[in-house]
């Protein structure tokens, strides 16, 4: 288990890093009673790998876990937070407010943290995003949350999809984010969850110009980075179902452009390949073409402007180390 303290408190819990005899106890006492405020009972071999982060008014846990019985009992209730569970893979059966709902692949469910509830993670385990929201902070954005409690929420599109992708991306960014960036990220997350639950008219208008915009831009950047810049502008508009004009404005707000960002990603891909000794047998031309450049002269000029070195310089330095 690793922990980081700073503007946010975070830790990673991996049962594989613990002696087998201690796994159940650590899960029960550290993650269960201390973090989640629940009783945990494993229903099979205990396997957990999750990252937990505490922000003002917001808690985030993402990762995977094996089969568990999770009971939120009266003695452990200490807040009126709203709790969201999204099942990315696997399934869980939730019992709350006299209802029983299965949360399977592509579904999310919101519960009240001030009431008793039961969650039984099914055989095969669960890959999940779990969040808790301060009711005091969220209520002005959504009004009465009761109509959305224990109502399955689809995660395949809309604000919920943006929310889950955004949360996962900032979890991946980890502690490199500044306190100001975490503060903004918390605001954006509240915007997105409010939209997913049914925001008030004023809150929805603000969220679409703030949290939605930021989440969409981050999703587009992540998509481009994952493909090493090997996407066209037309690919981006089609994959994200947005107009070219809207995407252009997203980047303009940051003082850049889609084409500049894609160029940087292609150059980064080429730089990584040139610095990889395993690629030493390949020509610089072949690497430039694989990175998405059709004009070698343009590639060399752009590379030198970006890194203040030629592709040959980067390759030579890598071979010396």
């Amino acid at each position: 288990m690793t922990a980081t303290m700073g503007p946010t408190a975070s830790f990673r819990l991996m049962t594989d890093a613990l002696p087998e005899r201690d796994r159940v106890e650590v899960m029960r006492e550290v993650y269960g009673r201390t973090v989640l405020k629940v009783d945990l009972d494993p229903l099979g071999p205990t396997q957990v790998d999750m990252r937990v982060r505490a922000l003002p008014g917001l808690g985030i846990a993402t990762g995977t876990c094996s089969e568990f019985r999770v009971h939120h009992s009266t003695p452990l209730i200490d807040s009126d937070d709203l709790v969201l569970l999204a099942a990315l893979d696997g399934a869980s059966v939730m019992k709350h407010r006299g209802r029983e709902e299965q949360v399977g692949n592509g579904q999310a469910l919101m519960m009240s943290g001030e009431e008793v509830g039961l969650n039984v993670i099914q055989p095969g385990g669960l890959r999940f995003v779990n969040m808790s929201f301060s009711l005091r902070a969220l209520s002005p954005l959504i009004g009465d949350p009761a109509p959305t409690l224990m109502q399955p929420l689809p995660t395949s599109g809309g604000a919920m999809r943006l929310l889950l992708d955004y949360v996962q991306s900032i979890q991946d960014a980890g502690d490199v984010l500044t306190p100001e960036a975490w503060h903004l990220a918390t605001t954006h997350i509240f915007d997105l969850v409010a939209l997913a639950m049914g925001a008030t008219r004023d809150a929805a208008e603000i969220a679409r110009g703030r949290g939605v915009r930021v989440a969409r831009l981050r999703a587009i950047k992540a998509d481009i980075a994952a493909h090493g810049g090997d996407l066209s502008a037309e690919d981006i508009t089609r994959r994200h179902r947005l107009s070219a004009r809207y995407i252009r404005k997203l980047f303009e707000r940051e003082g850049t452009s889609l084409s500049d960002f894609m160029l940087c990603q292609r150059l980064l891909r080429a730089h990584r390949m040139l610095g990889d000794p395993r690629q030493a047998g390949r020509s610089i031309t072949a690497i430039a073409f694989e990175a998405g450049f059709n004009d070698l002269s343009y590639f060399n000029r752009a590379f030198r402007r970006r890194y203040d070195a030629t592709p040959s310089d980067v390759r030579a330095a890598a071979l010396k180390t």
Side-chain angles (χ1 to χ4, degrees), residues 93-216:
V93 175
M94 313 295 295
K95 298 180 180 180
H96 183 62
R97 290 194 154 198
R99 294 183 57 179
E100 180 176 312
E101 291 284 350
Q102 177 164 312
V103 186
N105 298 346
Q107 286 184 317
L109 203 68
M110 186 74 76
M111 297 153 287
S112 170
E114 65 176 348
E115 298 178 33
V116 171
L118 180 66
N119 174 11
V120 181
I121 297 169
Q122 301 297 287
L126 193 66
R127 184 168 69 91
F128 63 89
V129 173
N130 194 191
M131 288 178 278
S132 64
F133 301 91
S134 163
L135 180 60
R136 180 179 179 182
L138 191 56
S139 287
L141 305 179
I142 61 173
D144 182 9
T148 60
L149 299 181
M150 290 300 289
Q151 296 292 334
L153 302 168
T155 63
S156 57
M160 184 60 75
R161 181 74 267 153
L162 286 174
L163 170 66
L164 298 180
D165 288 345
Y166 183 69
V167 166
Q168 299 235 69
S169 71
I170 64 169
Q171 283 282 73
D172 291 341
D175 298 297
V176 301
L177 296 182
T178 64
E180 293 77 13
W182 278 117
H183 175 75
L184 287 173
T186 301
T187 300
H188 299 149
I189 289 171
F190 271 86
D191 283 342
L192 292 168
V193 74
L195 282 175
M197 294 178 67
T200 64
R201 180 179 299 179
D202 289 345
E205 185 175 346
I206 292 171
R208 291 190 185 101
R210 187 173 60 185
V212 170
R213 173 175 53 80
V214 170
R216 280 179 171 158

Side-chain angles (χ1 to χ4, degrees), residues 285-303:
T285 300
I287 286 175
F289 286 165
E290 184 174 332
F293 294 91
N294 298 319
D295 183 328
L296 188 60
S297 296
Y298 173 69
F299 166 70
N300 284 319
R301 292 195 303 272
F303 192 96

Side-chain angles (χ1 to χ4, degrees), residues 219-245:
I220 290 169
K221 286 183 173 182
D223 195 16
I224 295 170
H227 289 84
D230 193 21
L231 293 172
S232 67
E234 291 73 20
D235 291 333
I236 297 299
T237 58
R238 185 181 67 256
R239 290 164 67 89
H240 293 267
R241 299 179 181 179
L242 299 170
S243 71
R245 182 173 179 271

Side-chain angles (χ1 to χ4, degrees), residues 269-270 272-292 311-312 315 319:
R269 182 180 181 187
R272 286 172 175 166
M273 287 191 284
L274 290 166
D276 185 350
R278 295 171 297 180
Q279 305 273 356
R282 302 183 65 195
S283 69
I284 290 176
T285 300
I287 286 175
F289 286 165
E290 184 174 332
S312 298
R315 166 160 280 179
L319 294 176

Side-chain angles (χ1 to χ4, degrees), residues 26-138:
V26 168
M27 279 300 300
R28 280 178 173 158
E29 294 302 321
V30 177
Y31 185 64
R33 288 179 164 263
T34 303
V35 178
L36 278 186
K37 308 296 183 182
V38 295
D39 287 313
L40 294 175
D41 294 308
L43 302 176
T46 303
Q47 291 290 327
V48 174
D49 184 353
M50 67 177 69
R51 286 180 292 179
V52 180
R53 185 172 299 276
L55 297 155
L58 173 67
I60 302 172
T62 56
T64 60
C65 67
S66 53
E67 305 165 50
F68 275 94
R69 181 181 181 274
V70 184
H71 185 213
H72 188 48
S73 58
T74 301
L76 294 175
I77 294 174
D78 66 350
S79 77
D80 60 357
D81 289 354
L82 297 182
V83 179
L84 178 72
L85 174 67
L88 306 182
D89 287 305
S92 177
V93 175
M94 313 295 295
K95 298 180 180 180
H96 183 62
R97 290 194 154 198
R99 294 183 57 179
E100 180 176 312
E101 291 284 350
Q102 177 164 312
V103 186
N105 298 346
Q107 286 184 317
L109 203 68
M110 186 74 76
M111 297 153 287
S112 170
E114 65 176 348
E115 298 178 33
V116 171
L118 180 66
N119 174 11
V120 181
I121 297 169
Q122 301 297 287
L126 193 66
R127 184 168 69 91
F128 63 89
V129 173
N130 194 191
M131 288 178 278
S132 64
F133 301 91
S134 163
L135 180 60
R136 180 179 179 182
L138 191 56

